[in-house]
Amino acid sequence: MERFGRRGVGLVAAATLVLLAGAAGWAYRAYLHALEPPRPGSSEAVVVRIPQGASTAEIAELLHRRGLIRHPLAFRLLARAQGRDGRLKAGVYRLSPGMAARAVLDKLARGEVLTARFTIPEGWTVEQIVDHLVTRGLVERAAFRAALDRAAATWPYLPRDREVRAALQEPLEGYLFPDTYRVPVDERGRVADPDQVVRMMLDRFREVFGPEEQAEAQRQGLTVHQVVTLASIVEREARVAEERPLIAAVYRNRLERGMSLDADPTVLYALGRTSGPLTARDLQVASPYNTYRHPGLPPGPIGSPGRASLEAVLHPADVDYLYFVLSPDGSGRHRFARTLAEHERNVQAYRQSLEERGG
């Protein structure tokens, strides 16, 4: 009887273990099922905002309400198992009920927020950049302008002279570096933080024109602002990449000789334009940016120069040219000259080609 009793207890214990193992297996299968996509095969896009400071539990509830995960507890357990509990990043995300919980968790842990991509071409002015971002619906004009003003207040490369600084048409002109950017956006596809966009573009300038370039400028007796100003003119003038160092050399030679730059792009900037012919009256415009009337550099840049134009100013060609004009062959190249007489012949050839083409 005693043996039978012990055997009975053993059977009960074994049966209990089997039941527990079965329950554990069932629970594990239920857990795995809870991590599957709520709607397998769905390609529907759901945009959801994860608030700043939200806990994993709050995020799980939000995702569940939006139909993006099957069960909040399973999502929380997965986050804990992967060491990601409390490490999910705020922002706006594009998710789908066709995604498994693991994929959703990966996106939130990596911070793959909704973004927009935009490109700023070399030579664009601040006004062109603002217009582009506003037209794209990425920013509101007033908010982005306010962000530019805040950044300009502490930008270290602007001239210290108050009169020169006051003459700047756009304080950050030339420093919003031309490049392709990807920025976080909200549910409407609009930039949530305009200051972040401005910082991104200014940081890119600092990256390209870094300590080495700044030291080289200082060695040559140039400030960062002077280099960027001259580079912006080179950017506007050069139509063929390999001519940038030649054009930079012309302007640096004229500056060294105390000659006026006579740069058409600066006059266009003073007139609020970026292209088109200039008349004799245009060349008389009363503006410190008119380099026909005012010797030396204008108060500041007239657009955003790219890396190649900045390098051309720091490393101009070793030539003694003082003049250039577009070549009459329509190639976009220029004819360079050492003397005024030679330059006038080149100008005459260019004008004659325009007349022959009906220009």
Side-chain angles (χ1 to χ4, degrees):
M1 186 73 183
E2 186 177 335
R3 275 198 310 249
F4 179 78
R6 288 196 188 116
R7 185 179 177 192
V9 170
L11 289 173
V12 170
T16 301
L17 289 174
V18 169
L19 288 172
L20 288 174
W26 176 88
Y28 184 65
R29 288 192 297 275
Y31 168 70
L32 293 179
H33 178 71
L35 297 179
E36 293 177 358
R39 287 162 49 194
S42 172
S43 59
E44 177 189 354
V46 178
V47 176
V48 59
R49 175 186 289 276
I50 304 301
Q52 191 72 40
S55 66
T56 303
E58 292 169 331
I59 293 171
E61 290 294 339
L62 172 60
L63 295 174
H64 183 249
R65 287 197 305 271
R66 299 296 301 272
L68 293 165
I69 59 173
R70 286 177 177 267
H71 202 288
L73 179 58
F75 185 85
R76 292 168 58 189
L77 292 173
L78 178 65
R80 187 173 299 175
Q82 293 188 356
R84 290 170 162 176
D85 189 14
R87 298 184 178 181
L88 305 185
K89 298 177 181 177
V92 178
Y93 294 83
R94 180 183 285 115
L95 304 172
S96 170
M99 297 171 63
R102 283 185 175 84
V104 173
L105 182 65
D106 285 345
K107 265 204 163 190
L108 271 58
R110 289 197 294 262
E112 294 180 8
V113 296
L114 194 62
T115 61
R117 181 174 175 271
F118 66 90
T119 298
I120 303 304
E122 295 172 343
W124 267 18
T125 64
V126 167
E127 188 61 30
Q128 286 176 300
I129 293 171
V130 173
D131 285 345
H132 179 66
L133 297 180
V134 170
T135 301
R136 283 279 307 274
L138 292 173
V139 300
E140 293 181 351
R141 189 178 299 275
F144 194 71
R145 277 289 181 186
L148 289 172
D149 290 341
R150 286 190 290 271
T154 57
W155 188 240
Y157 306 121
L158 298 182
R160 296 181 180 179
D161 186 284
R162 290 185 178 181
E163 289 187 10
V164 176
R165 194 160 182 156
L168 296 173
Q169 290 188 194
E170 291 279 3
L172 290 182
E173 191 76 86
Y175 296 106
L176 302 180
F177 195 78
D179 207 338
T180 295
Y181 297 91
R182 188 173 290 278
V183 294
V185 294
D186 61 19
E187 298 92 330
R188 301 171 298 170
R190 181 167 290 174
V191 170
D193 183 5
D195 293 276
Q196 181 185 12
V197 180
V198 175
R199 285 195 305 270
M200 189 180 299
M201 300 173 80
L202 295 178
D203 288 345
R204 181 65 179 134
F205 171 83
R206 281 193 176 105
E207 182 181 334
V208 172
F209 202 83
E212 186 177 331
E213 289 77 16
Q214 293 179 37
E216 178 61 26
Q218 186 175 23
R219 189 188 69 79
Q220 296 183 31
L222 298 169
T223 67
V224 172
H225 193 70
Q226 288 171 330
V227 173
V228 178
T229 299
L230 186 49
S232 72
I233 301 173
V234 173
E235 191 67 67
R236 284 288 186 186
E237 292 279 25
R239 303 188 185 185
V240 178
E242 57 265 29
E243 287 191 348
R244 285 189 176 95
L246 290 169
I247 293 172
V250 169
Y251 285 131
R252 291 201 59 170
N253 289 342
R254 293 178 73 92
L255 287 171
E256 288 173 6
R257 288 163 174 76
M259 300 171 66
S260 61
L261 294 185
D262 293 354
D264 290 0
T266 65
V267 179
L268 287 168
Y269 186 78
L271 295 170
R273 293 158 47 193
T274 57
S275 61
L278 290 171
T279 65
R281 183 177 181 180
D282 291 335
L283 297 181
Q284 297 303 313
V285 62
S287 167
Y289 284 86
N290 184 350
T291 55
Y292 280 85
R293 294 187 60 178
H294 299 276
L297 290 168
I302 59 171
S304 296
R307 184 195 297 268
S309 292
L310 291 166
E311 290 179 351
V313 171
L314 290 180
H315 307 286
D318 185 15
V319 294
D320 56 357
Y321 295 139
L322 293 172
Y323 307 90
F324 64 88
V325 67
L326 275 172
S327 173
D329 61 10
S331 65
R333 294 180 176 276
H334 292 83
R335 286 186 175 180
F336 295 85
R338 296 173 176 82
T339 67
L340 180 58
E342 184 183 359
H343 175 61
E344 288 177 342
R345 289 194 297 270
N346 291 337
V347 170
Q348 183 58 36
Y350 174 67
R351 287 175 177 168
Q352 185 176 344
S353 72
L354 285 181
E355 292 174 3
E356 291 173 354
R357 287 180 287 173

